[in-house]
């Protein structure tokens, strides 16, 4: 295909810190046959971990959560790497 990933933003949740719309992202990813980068509503590290549990989701945009210091990106990435390696962070 022409694309490898699709950016999927639920505009009703964008900037709301209310949690991303994983169902929408997974639906779009499956329909297009590509990975989805989920955007809109990410509120913290828990949402990043929840996204990682969906094989259809290839990335997360953490705009407002980052700007409002609700997520520590280096800690979140370290914990994700440890989880994928089967090691407790």
């Amino acid at each position: 295909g022409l694309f490898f990933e699709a950016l999927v933003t639920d505009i009703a949740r964008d900037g709301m810190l209310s949690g991303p719309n994983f169902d929408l992202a997974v639906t779009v990813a499956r329909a297009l046959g590509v990975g989805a980068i989920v955007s809109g509503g990410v509120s913290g590290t828990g949402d990043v971990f929840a996204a990682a549990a969906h094989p259809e989701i290839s990335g997360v945009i953490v705009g407002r959560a980052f700007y409002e210091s609700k997520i520590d990106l280096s800690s979140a990435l370290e914990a994700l790497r440890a989880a994928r390696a089967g090691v407790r962070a």
Side-chain angles (χ1 to χ4, degrees):
L2 184 59
F3 299 103
F4 297 106
E5 295 173 302
L7 175 60
V8 181
T9 303
D10 183 334
I11 59 170
R13 297 183 189 205
D14 197 29
M16 298 288 106
L17 301 171
S18 60
N21 188 339
F22 295 122
D23 291 337
L24 175 63
V26 168
T27 298
V28 170
R30 288 179 180 166
L32 297 177
V34 298
I37 301 170
V38 69
S39 174
V42 175
S43 63
T45 305
D47 290 332
V48 175
F49 278 103
H54 297 276
E56 300 88 352
I57 297 178
S58 58
V60 179
I61 293 180
V62 293
R64 187 168 182 185
F66 176 73
Y67 293 125
E68 292 192 7
S69 300
K70 300 199 179 287
I71 186 170
D72 178 345
L73 293 179
S74 61
S75 294
L77 289 172
E78 181 180 327
L80 282 170
R81 286 186 189 112
R84 287 196 175 170
V87 178
R88 292 185 104 173

